[in-house]
Amino acid sequence: MNAVEQANFLNTNFSAKGMHFLHRVEDVVLYSYLPYDSKVSVSVVKPFEGVEEEDEEEEDLELKGGRQEARRFAPFIKTIKPSNIAMEKEVELSSSAQLKMVSQSISQPHKLEGGLVTMPFIIANEALARVATLGLLPNMILYLMGNYHLHLSQATHILLLSVAATNFTPLVGAFIADSYLGRFLAVGLGSFITFLGMTILWLTAMIPRARPPPCNPATESCKSATSGQIAILISSLALQSIGNGGLQCSQAFGADQVDSKDNPNNQRALEIFFSWYYASTAISVIIAFTGIVYIQDHYGWKLGFGVPAALMFLSTFFFFLASPLYVKNKIHSSLIASFARVIVVAYKNRKLRLPPKNSAGMFHHKKDSDLVVPTDKLRFLNKACFIKDQEKDIASDGSASNPWTLCTVDQVEELKAIIKVIPLWSTGILMSLNIGGSFGLLQAKSLNRHITSNFEVPAGSLSVIMIFTLFVWIALYDRVIIPLASKLRGKPVRISAKRRMGIGLFFSFLHLVTAAIVETARRKRAIREGYINDTRAVLNMSAIWLFPQLCLGGIAEAFNAIGQNEFYYTEFPKSMSSIASSLFGLGMVPGYLLSSLLFKIVENVTSRGGKDGWISDNINKGRYDNYYWVLATLSAVNILYYLVCSRAYGPTADEEPKVTEENSSNEEELPLMEFGTPGPYDKVS
């Protein structure tokens, strides 16, 4: 027998999951997989001595389990044809050259969509959109007060409601994207709607009739904005908030492009994407708070709003430019409908008695799910997945006959995950309690911001200090503090996500206390220098005084924000990753609404009887230091509330000791042996 004849044979191994085939011709190996009970039809050409033409014999091999002894066939395998498969695939192997071609095409599949090639377009969309949207925030209070003649309290309410809506729409966008539109359309429409909103805002600066006329400097009288002018302004802010709901799906959509289970370097591809994504986010924030703010301060609102609108147009253009390259995943079922089913079915079955704990086989679960029994927490919801009648409740394919009478264990656990985290999630609401950022800007404008005699830092750019502190602290925490603590203790040290949330709340409390102390010192300096009635005066006090509170705010964000995101990801099922990513932003919604309500209450209470209240357009007359002390008091109470919620929640997934179960399964998957090597179940003579 020649070398080709010796190499042509079929060796099969079996595992609990199916059959693996190796076909080898010369030095080329072709691997394939067939499920149980598959019939393999092998057509073999056998040469016979004394016969001029080749006689073709067909041999059917029924493979149903166990290990087959190696079978040797004639040199040229014509066809290996698996049957009983949804789509039959026939591979013609008339020569070793053809087999090489087939093996290469299978081992190196050609992927036409997705991959890292889409990364520049998605990151460009996200980065340009962030520069455009964030660049409008720092100075917006000045535009509303100076061009629309709104009082500080009125402008603050508008901005707080706008920011609250902007942080709420991503949750709505995530549900709509996953259930109806898909992430591609969500990001695309979100980009376009945001561009429309910015264009309208730019037109308010370009068209004089779109805003009130300038104030009369002689009489110092200002005409208020009409209802139509306010409506145009609000519509531009509303469109930007709505568009942000779709834009926030960009990260998940980008991950879809590089996330491929068939790619052996899948994890590395995801790391590359997320690294560049977050790097672009950091750079975008810095550019927005410096470059865009500088343009607005030195070149006016027409260019200051025109540049963000142009950047948003480029963001939308680059996203749609790569449309043919994107992977557009199919739409999944709605989580809202799933939650509703669990609640309805659990209520219908409220009178049923549950079986003993860990009663396997009594609860409905997906075939490929690891969850076969629901957890003990919130046990009344387990009635939604309890099988009352196997014949009536379960269809022939294993699914529920009626999804409104029987749910899966996964659906029940998804709803439980949401309910369980609500108390701890609510502790982050007070992190968003502030004065809407408006007072901080006016406070910075009253301080000396000159670096040199010719260069003055824009007041709106001081927020970069908080962002810079956040990134520096993250680097120190990961690269210095944790490794050093691990070295000192002689074992790995890690602070759980839940504890980091609490540490962030404590630093937030320190941030507010420091802000109150600094504002007290600033106001005393303004009175001492005779500027109590001069709102435009710059005090002989450096803006460096604001650095401590900004740095503490950055550290608070680094602990609490990152801790919250990690907490939700570790506690939620994988199917709820999109919800987990939007929960932190959702917490800002009630925070800003509560901030607006508290702002109004303090203004009304402190100004009773015609007195000068704490809230005033003249920050030198107002008592914003007292307002900060109120916020600090609420923050201290919130820390106590967090401790109660944390104790009630119990250990999290990253706090529970990991128990390794050995030999937990009786199934053993046999290894695929090399040719000529005896398998573990072969007899060796």
Side-chain angles (χ1 to χ4, degrees), residues 9 20 31 79 103 120 137 164 186 259 292 314 339 360 384 424 429 476 481 512 575 577 581 628 665 670:
F9 60 91
H20 302 269
Y31 172 85
T79 307
S103 65
L137 292 178
D259 188 9
I292 302 298
L314 291 176
F339 294 159
L424 274 174
I429 292 176
L476 288 175
I481 297 176
L512 293 170
S575 58
S577 296
S581 62
Y628 272 127
S665 176
L670 305 183

Side-chain angles (χ1 to χ4, degrees), residues 107 109 111 259-266:
S107 61
K111 191 174 183 180
D259 188 9
S260 175
K261 296 180 180 179
D262 298 330
N263 182 9
N265 298 320
N266 183 50

Side-chain angles (χ1 to χ4, degrees), residues 377 420-421 424 494-501 563 566-572 642 645-658:
K377 291 185 178 180
K420 283 163 53 181
V421 302
L424 274 174
R494 183 181 177 276
I495 304 176
S496 68
K498 190 174 68 172
R499 291 180 180 176
R500 274 180 280 155
M501 291 167 59
E566 184 178 335
F567 172 73
Y568 301 139
Y569 268 104
T570 55
E571 295 301 298
F572 281 11
Y642 160 81
C645 294
S646 177
R647 185 177 182 85
Y649 189 90
T652 59
D654 56 352
E655 291 176 337
E656 292 177 345
K658 296 182 178 179

Side-chain angles (χ1 to χ4, degrees), residues 282-510:
I283 296 172
S284 301
V285 172
I286 294 174
I287 294 175
F289 286 175
T290 55
I292 302 298
V293 170
Y294 183 86
I295 292 173
Q296 292 170 354
D297 284 354
H298 291 80
Y299 298 99
W301 300 112
K302 294 180 180 179
L303 189 61
F305 288 162
V307 170
L311 292 176
M312 197 62 231
F313 171 78
L314 291 176
S315 171
T316 308
F317 172 76
F318 281 125
F319 180 77
F320 283 109
L321 183 64
S323 177
L325 303 177
Y326 295 140
V327 171
K328 303 177 181 72
N329 290 335
K330 295 181 180 179
I331 299 172
H332 302 289
S333 59
S334 173
L335 279 174
I336 296 179
S338 176
F339 294 159
R341 290 190 186 106
V342 173
I343 295 173
V344 170
V345 177
Y347 178 77
K348 288 180 179 179
N349 299 339
R350 63 189 182 279
K351 296 182 179 180
L352 291 178
R353 296 185 62 182
L354 288 172
K357 298 179 181 180
N358 300 326
S359 299
M362 302 295 292
F363 298 95
H364 178 50
H365 59 86
K366 296 179 181 178
K367 292 181 179 179
D368 56 347
S369 175
D370 295 331
L371 293 172
V372 295
V373 177
T375 58
D376 291 333
K377 291 185 178 180
L378 302 174
R379 201 162 182 261
F380 65 93
L381 291 176
N382 295 352
K383 297 179 180 181
C385 59
F386 177 66
I387 302 175
K388 295 176 291 184
D389 190 326
Q390 184 78 23
E391 295 183 357
K392 293 182 179 180
D393 294 342
I394 305 298
S396 58
D397 59 352
S399 62
S401 301
N402 185 351
W404 288 97
T405 58
L406 181 64
C407 301
T408 64
V409 176
D410 296 81
Q411 290 176 309
V412 172
E413 292 303 315
E414 287 170 353
L415 180 58
K416 284 183 180 181
I418 287 285
I419 297 175
K420 283 163 53 181
V421 302
I422 286 178
L424 274 174
W425 167 81
S426 64
T427 62
I429 292 176
L430 289 185
M431 284 283 294
S432 303
L433 270 186
N434 51 40
I435 316 180
S438 55
F439 172 70
L441 180 66
L442 299 177
Q443 188 183 40
K445 286 183 71 68
S446 69
L447 301 177
N448 182 8
R449 292 169 280 111
H450 280 90
I451 295 179
T452 65
S453 57
N454 297 323
F455 181 76
E456 184 182 39
V457 177
S461 298
L462 289 179
S463 301
V464 174
I465 297 172
M466 183 180 293
I467 306 298
F468 181 76
T469 303
L470 187 150
F471 289 115
V472 170
W473 177 258
I474 291 174
L476 288 175
Y477 176 81
D478 287 337
R479 301 297 180 182
V480 179
I481 297 176
I482 292 299
L484 182 61
S486 301
K487 185 176 181 180
L488 292 176
R489 297 195 62 181
K491 60 180 180 179
V493 174
R494 183 181 177 276
I495 304 176
S496 68
K498 190 174 68 172
R499 291 180 180 176
R500 274 180 280 155
M501 291 167 59
I503 295 173
L505 294 178
F506 177 72
F507 274 102
S508 177
F509 166 74
L510 295 180

Side-chain angles (χ1 to χ4, degrees), residues 1-9 24 72-73 75:
M1 183 180 294
N2 57 36
V4 175
E5 292 175 333
Q6 292 177 356
N8 276 277
F9 60 91
R24 180 168 179 170
R72 188 176 66 194
F73 296 98

Side-chain angles (χ1 to χ4, degrees), residues 523-544:
R523 185 173 180 273
K524 288 182 178 179
R525 178 68 65 89
I527 296 174
R528 187 164 60 248
E529 294 181 2
Y531 295 134
I532 190 168
N533 293 316
D534 190 352
T535 58
R536 298 183 179 181
V538 177
L539 308 181
N540 186 23
M541 182 177 180
S542 175
I544 295 177

